[in-house]
Amino acid sequence: MDKIKMTTPLVEMDGDEMTRILWNMIKEELIQPFVELKTEYYDLGLENRDRTGDQVTVDAAEATKKYGVAVKCATITPNAARMDEYHLKEMWKSPNGTIRALLDGTVFRAPVLVKGIEPYVKTWKKPITLARHAYGDVYKASEMAIPGPGKVELLYTAEDGSTRSELLHQFKGAGIVQGMHNLDSSIESFARSCFQFALDTRQDLWFAAKDTISKKYDHHFKDVFEEVYEKEYKARFTEAGITYFYTLIDDAIARVIKSEGGFIWACKNYDGDVMSDMVATAFGSLAMMTSVLVSPQGYYEYEAAHGTVQRHYYQHLKGEETSTNPIATIFAWTGAFRKRGELDRLPELMRFADLLEQASLETIESGRMTKDLALITELTEVTVMNSGEFIRAIRSELEKLLG
Ligand code: NAP
Ligand code: MG
């Protein structure tokens, strides 16, 4: 069989620990035998980030702007323990944070559904994609403990020196205050990324906030979404046969639980933080959650939602077999291939992405799976495999499908 051709390279961002091991296995067993793989390789492993003063992360993000599509392995975000473990020059920032800031993107997370791993919510039949705004609000807030009686005000001083103030609270005793902000530019980018992704995936878009209580702050989010929608997307949504609607967050939560799934749920920063954990857990497993960063300009970076699976990596270093689930990382590659195929008009590459996903799911549905899934599956005849065995089982399914 001739290998499938690519025209534009994918930006390939390698990573750390157990996922770096899986990365190689996936390439060797599931990609390179079938695709004439073209990538521009960036090693985002922690050693190389340290060696390059984290320049490699910036270069990888810039390459994503140049080519449009990237696929990323999970990476370590250093903390104090990692400083010692890797003898780091600096406590480098989260690569995901750096890339997100450079691409001005929004992260969309969606579960991979498979027969035998049932969502806890009975009505959910299709994936729910969660889009979380990744700037501001309580994550960039200023807070103060108020020791006793006194007045707290919000004060704005314009560049010309003129001021506006708003009484926050007249304290009669001790208490606490918090001030937070957001930016029109960031909310607009978030809205555009959401509308763009809804069009790309032909799914309805829901956005919810608490505008009834937060009449200026949350209401402003609602207004920005409405304005961007009316001006730039309404006609395209109608054409695509999809809808956008805003609702109160309380109502959204009730509707999400009663829904069938199959839509995008856009959330403000805090709501998205909390609700993404709820949605991921309710769908079954973090190891089955994919993630894509979409910039308002239409750059895409695909990855798994989980981390580098450190505990398994230490077992691996001791020479023990691990049963780490590669599905989310495989789906990062298939997402990237499908998008590359769509942009470059390569139907063969898009078909390969579909078949690799199908082979992966059919392997699980046949009862062959990694340990994390074996613990939660409703299938009764189950073979627990280590990562290598599982990936090779997927390969044999893929070979059958490719005929
Ligand atoms: P993790 O990699 O998400 O793993 C936490 C636990 O979840 C694992 O110990 C394992 O449970 C289970 N798990 C996650 N993915 C799995 C998979 N594919 N197959 C089977 N089980 C899986 O989080 P962590 O180990 O706490 O973090 C390790 C590193 O990842 C940290 O340095 C963190 O900075 C980084 N991180 C990176 C990203 C990213 O690059 N996007 C995201 C999050 C975290 P059991 O141990 O019970 O088997
Ligand atoms: Mg969280």
Side-chain angles (χ1 to χ4, degrees):
M1 194 193 86
D2 280 349
K3 287 192 192 179
I4 295 158
K5 302 251 182 325
M6 296 178 64
T7 47
T8 315
L10 284 176
V11 179
E12 175 184 354
M13 307 184 195
D14 208 343
D16 288 300
E17 299 196 310
M18 204 57 218
T19 40
R20 189 180 178 99
I21 311 280
L22 293 178
W23 195 258
N24 248 313
M25 291 170 99
I26 292 168
K27 279 171 67 179
E28 276 175 18
E29 291 285 338
L30 300 178
I31 297 172
Q32 280 157 340
F34 311 103
V35 178
E36 225 164 73
L37 182 63
K38 269 194 184 185
T39 72
E40 196 164 292
Y41 179 84
Y42 292 86
D43 183 1
L44 266 57
L46 187 51
E47 279 113 346
N48 196 44
R49 275 183 276 150
D50 196 50
R51 201 175 306 125
T52 61
D54 209 20
Q55 185 59 38
V56 67
T57 309
V58 175
D59 292 346
E62 291 302 332
T64 307
K65 288 188 187 171
K66 178 173 167 197
Y67 294 112
V69 185
V71 56
K72 179 180 169 292
C73 179
T75 47
I76 293 170
T77 298
N79 55 14
R82 301 296 198 169
M83 294 291 289
D84 297 338
E85 186 182 354
Y86 286 84
H87 311 289
L88 300 179
K89 291 187 274 200
E90 240 181 76
M91 202 186 286
W92 306 108
K93 287 195 211 139
S94 148
N96 289 50
T98 303
I99 296 166
R100 201 159 56 212
L102 287 168
L103 299 185
D104 190 18
T106 297
V107 174
F108 296 83
R109 289 190 161 184
V112 175
L113 296 197
V114 57
K115 283 192 210 93
I117 313 291
E118 301 306 324
Y120 289 96
V121 180
K122 282 186 299 219
T123 48
W124 290 358
K125 305 279 181 254
K126 297 178 207 157
I128 294 170
T129 302
L130 202 129
R132 170 183 170 190
H133 187 207
Y135 178 83
D137 299 352
V138 72
Y139 301 84
K140 281 213 185 292
S142 296
E143 305 183 319
M144 205 192 283
I146 303 300
K151 185 167 73 170
V152 177
E153 288 175 303
L154 290 176
L155 174 68
Y156 165 67
T157 309
E159 283 193 328
D160 67 6
S162 62
T163 59
R164 268 174 64 188
S165 69
E166 175 83 28
L167 178 68
L168 206 140
H169 193 67
Q170 183 75 51
F171 282 88
K172 297 200 173 70
I176 40 178
V177 290
Q178 180 185 67
M180 60 187 196
H181 79 282
N182 222 301
L183 306 172
D184 282 8
S185 58
S186 178
I187 304 169
E188 282 165 18
S189 292
F190 173 50
R192 286 198 183 94
S193 294
C194 290
F195 290 124
Q196 186 60 46
F197 195 68
L199 281 172
D200 283 352
T201 59
R202 284 191 173 252
Q203 296 184 90
D204 291 346
L205 176 68
W206 304 13
F207 177 52
K210 192 76 181 174
D211 64 298
T212 48
I213 299 298
S214 174
K215 290 184 170 38
K216 291 222 169 70
Y217 200 101
D218 277 25
H219 207 287
H220 191 63
F221 275 80
K222 176 183 173 180
D223 290 344
V224 169
F225 264 71
E226 193 60 37
E227 198 180 317
V228 171
Y229 177 66
E230 289 290 334
K231 270 200 200 138
E232 301 171 33
Y233 291 94
K234 193 174 182 175
R236 282 190 273 166
F237 266 53
T238 310
E239 198 183 323
I242 56 174
T243 56
Y244 162 68
F245 74 90
Y246 172 87
T247 184
L248 197 62
I249 184 112
D250 319 43
D251 177 50
I253 287 170
R255 285 185 192 223
V256 164
I257 297 296
K258 287 188 288 184
S259 77
E260 275 201 351
F263 55 89
I264 300 162
W265 181 15
C267 288
K268 288 177 62 209
N269 210 348
Y270 173 82
D271 301 335
D273 183 352
V274 179
M275 287 302 148
S276 63
D277 283 340
M278 189 272 282
V279 170
T281 309
F283 269 108
S285 168
L286 189 62
M288 298 290 280
M289 202 74 182
T290 61
S291 183
V292 54
L293 176 77
V294 181
S295 85
Q297 291 79 19
Y299 311 129
Y300 297 79
E301 182 241 281
Y302 293 84
E303 64 173 325
H306 60 76
T308 60
V309 211
Q310 182 179 16
R311 204 180 65 79
H312 295 205
Y313 182 58
Y314 290 157
Q315 287 177 341
H316 169 84
L317 289 181
K318 281 193 269 171
E320 294 166 22
E321 293 286 354
T322 75
S323 184
T324 317
N325 187 339
I327 291 288
T329 306
I330 295 173
F331 276 61
W333 279 98
T334 53
F337 281 134
R338 192 179 293 107
K339 179 54 76 180
R340 197 66 271 166
E342 185 190 314
L343 295 174
D344 296 346
R345 301 213 170 78
L346 300 170
E348 282 299 299
L349 193 61
M350 294 171 76
R351 179 168 168 269
F352 173 76
D354 291 344
L355 294 182
L356 177 50
E357 290 183 359
Q358 188 184 336
S360 303
L361 299 181
E362 284 177 3
T363 303
I364 298 171
E365 285 166 6
S366 74
R368 294 164 296 168
M369 60 189 77
T370 45
K371 193 171 146 197
D372 56 308
L373 296 182
L375 289 170
I376 56 172
T377 185
E378 287 169 22
L379 298 178
T380 45
E381 304 218 346
V382 171
T383 310
V384 180
M385 295 182 148
N386 66 40
S387 306
E389 289 166 344
F390 181 59
I391 287 172
R392 285 189 292 278
I394 295 173
R395 177 173 175 169
S396 68
E397 290 299 321
L398 178 61
E399 281 168 345
K400 279 187 232 158
L401 291 174
L402 285 165

